[in-house]
Amino acid sequence: MAASTGVTGGLAGCTNLQKQDRTTTTRRKKKKEQTPLEIQHSWTSTVEEDASQALFDGFQKSRPDVTINERTVAGRAGGDLQTTIKKRIIEDNPPSSWQAWAGKNLQTYVEAKALTNLDDSFWAGDAGWDSFSAISKRLSKVDGSFVAVPLSIHRLNNLFYNVDILEDVGVDPETIDGPHTLLNEVETVEEDSKAEGLVHATKHVWPTIELWESMLVGTHGVDTHQSIVNGNVRSRERAVRDALELVNQYRDYSPQALAPINWHNAANRFRNGNIAFFHQGDWAAAEFINDDEFAFGTDWDYVEFPGTENKYLLSMDLFPFPKNNPSPEVTARFLRYVGSVDAQKRFTQKRGAIPARKDVPRAAFAPFFRRQIAQFRRGETHLPSIAHGLAIAPEPRTKLTNAMKEFTSTWDVDQTAGKIAEIFD
């Protein structure tokens, strides 16, 4: 009996330990499940908020137990967000993840050893990296390793136009074969109608850098763009200056040249129907599409910026996986979701972008974005943007931004061309 009691007591003791272990494990699981997912981003406009909400709602359908702690950092072209993230990394207190730009923008974080490499095993049975377009994979890598999951691709070289105005003055946008021809047609509009030729946003500098980059590719081609990116600018100084001069002439036609406006106001003025042309990223199309009284193909349409046909000048949003992650398990699940068909369809439909994945059905998108996806998939050239820091490292991009800020104040072509030559030399 004594022995039996001892055995029984031993089993009871083991059982108690097992119960304690299960209880401890359960508590640990609950603790993991209750760890908030902290995401920082700069999506603060109505369209952007709708898109981010669609993304987070989709994730929470599969993980309703996860609390998402959104922290928004409003700022021009995401610059303030990146400053905030860098500060938090320096303090060894990163969020779970954040909206980041691709390409060279990731270089600073990798050099600081702040990001986790995401190899094939990260996808846990999904098709993984093979599901993404070649350019989105390339721009998610630093030094040959994937460090972030791509979500959406923006096109920058769009020229939106007012259908009625161009029909009234007899301008066929498909025959505008370069930036010089475009300026001629702007003049035609202003001479032959009561409409204004174009609108350009100069309150912030980034639309002007985007325009300069489109002018550069439109007049001197991809080889010139790549030579500048690769530091061979001295042989291309005339091209740099020509593109700046074209930007200067372009903004001369804008009635807002002396009263700077932001891109939202520029888009609204174009949408009001008395402006012929508007150069802007595809996020503008998302706002046009939401206006039932401004119909694509009837009231507005677009062409690839003249001279950049079959070229996709792009920016891309993605989410990195930082080291010292406050919620590693949940962050991994979120990033896998970001890379899914469901997430990319939900987000890009509302944001005004196209998916980074190759297999998201086009049928789910509005006609404008169906055309953009088709052009992307058959495009001869996918060109990472200088303006958004995909093609150049953070330090020269900061210098370029400062030089172009001065340009939008003085409009001094020669001085700015000289500064750009120094930056890329």
Side-chain angles (χ1 to χ4, degrees), residues 194-206:
K194 294 181 180 179
E196 296 169 351
L198 58 88
V199 61
H200 178 57
T202 57
K203 185 173 183 179
H204 303 133
V205 69
W206 60 266

Side-chain angles (χ1 to χ4, degrees), residues 324-344:
N324 193 28
N325 199 295
S327 56
E329 180 193 358
V330 175
T331 301
R333 288 179 177 270
F334 175 69
L335 264 61
R336 290 187 193 109
Y337 177 70
V338 164
S340 71
V341 169
D342 183 68
Q344 304 217 347

Side-chain angles (χ1 to χ4, degrees), residues 146-378:
F146 290 105
V147 294
V149 176
L151 172 63
S152 59
I153 295 171
H154 284 296
R155 188 181 205 170
L156 311 182
N157 57 318
N158 306 289
L159 182 66
F160 300 105
Y161 64 87
N162 183 297
V163 173
D164 286 341
I165 292 173
L166 295 199
E167 287 181 352
D168 287 346
V169 298
V171 171
D172 180 356
E174 299 291 342
T175 65
I176 303 175
D177 57 4
H180 290 93
T181 308
L182 171 61
L183 290 171
N184 291 338
E185 300 297 20
V186 168
E187 191 169 338
T188 298
V189 168
E190 298 203 340
E191 288 178 351
D192 296 354
S193 74
K194 294 181 180 179
E196 296 169 351
L198 58 88
V199 61
H200 178 57
T202 57
K203 185 173 183 179
H204 303 133
V205 69
W206 60 266
T208 300
I209 304 177
E210 288 181 354
L211 178 61
W212 170 74
E213 193 169 10
S214 289
M215 291 289 192
L216 185 71
V217 176
T219 51
H220 293 279
V222 171
D223 287 347
T224 294
H225 183 278
Q226 292 302 284
S227 290
I228 292 169
V229 165
N230 293 327
N232 301 320
V233 69
R234 291 299 177 184
S235 64
R236 309 288 185 167
E237 285 187 71
R238 186 176 67 84
V240 170
R241 192 193 181 286
D242 285 352
L244 287 169
E245 182 58 44
L246 285 166
V247 170
N248 200 10
Q249 293 175 33
Y250 186 95
R251 68 97 199 177
D252 276 344
Y253 284 102
S254 176
Q256 287 73 38
L258 299 178
I261 58 174
N262 64 30
W263 84 265
H264 286 286
N265 290 333
N268 286 336
R269 294 188 186 191
F270 173 75
R271 187 165 49 187
N272 287 340
N274 198 43
I275 292 173
F277 295 106
F278 178 43
H279 172 273
Q280 191 55 248
D282 54 7
W283 46 82
E287 302 209 356
F288 301 156
I289 289 167
N290 286 336
D291 184 345
D292 293 336
E293 297 182 359
F294 195 55
F296 176 62
T298 303
D299 299 312
W300 67 279
D301 211 319
Y302 83 103
V303 290
E304 297 160 299
F305 191 82
T308 71
E309 292 78 14
N310 297 316
K311 298 168 183 64
Y312 214 98
L313 184 59
L314 62 89
S315 180
M316 190 171 87
D317 284 315
L318 36 62
F319 281 93
F321 195 134
K323 295 178 180 177
N324 193 28
N325 199 295
S327 56
E329 180 193 358
V330 175
T331 301
R333 288 179 177 270
F334 175 69
L335 264 61
R336 290 187 193 109
Y337 177 70
V338 164
S340 71
V341 169
D342 183 68
Q344 304 217 347
K345 182 170 69 172
R346 281 172 169 269
F347 181 82
T348 56
Q349 279 181 316
K350 293 186 177 293
R351 176 66 183 95
I354 68 170
R357 286 183 68 117
K358 299 180 292 186
D359 55 352
V360 179
R362 275 197 296 157
F365 291 83
F368 170 87
F369 286 102
R370 289 204 294 270
R371 193 195 299 176
Q372 292 269 287
I373 292 170
Q375 289 175 336
F376 175 83
R377 290 178 179 173
R378 69 169 182 261

Side-chain angles (χ1 to χ4, degrees), residues 131-150:
S131 301
F132 296 91
S133 62
I135 188 66
S136 65
K137 288 192 288 186
R138 178 159 73 86
L139 296 174
S140 301
K141 288 181 179 180
V142 177
D143 297 331
S145 296
F146 290 105
V147 294
V149 176

Side-chain angles (χ1 to χ4, degrees), residues 19-20 30 47 55 121 133 137 158 237 242 277 363 424:
K19 286 180 179 177
Q20 288 174 0
K30 286 182 178 178
V47 166
L55 177 68
S121 64
S133 62
K137 288 192 288 186
N158 306 289
E237 285 187 71
D242 285 352
F277 295 106
F424 290 102

Side-chain angles (χ1 to χ4, degrees), residues 67-119:
T67 299
I68 298 177
N69 182 7
E70 283 186 76
R71 294 186 181 273
T72 57
V73 182
R76 294 188 295 276
D80 294 343
L81 171 64
Q82 305 311 318
T83 300
T84 299
I85 295 300
K86 288 172 186 175
K87 182 175 182 292
R88 291 193 59 174
I89 287 174
I90 290 169
E91 294 171 349
D92 205 19
N93 179 35
S96 304
S97 189
W98 64 90
Q99 168 210 355
W101 283 344
K104 299 288 188 180
N105 290 289
L106 297 168
Q107 186 173 307
T108 300
Y109 307 121
V110 172
E111 288 174 353
K113 302 187 186 309
L115 301 184
T116 300
N117 290 345
L118 305 174
D119 59 20

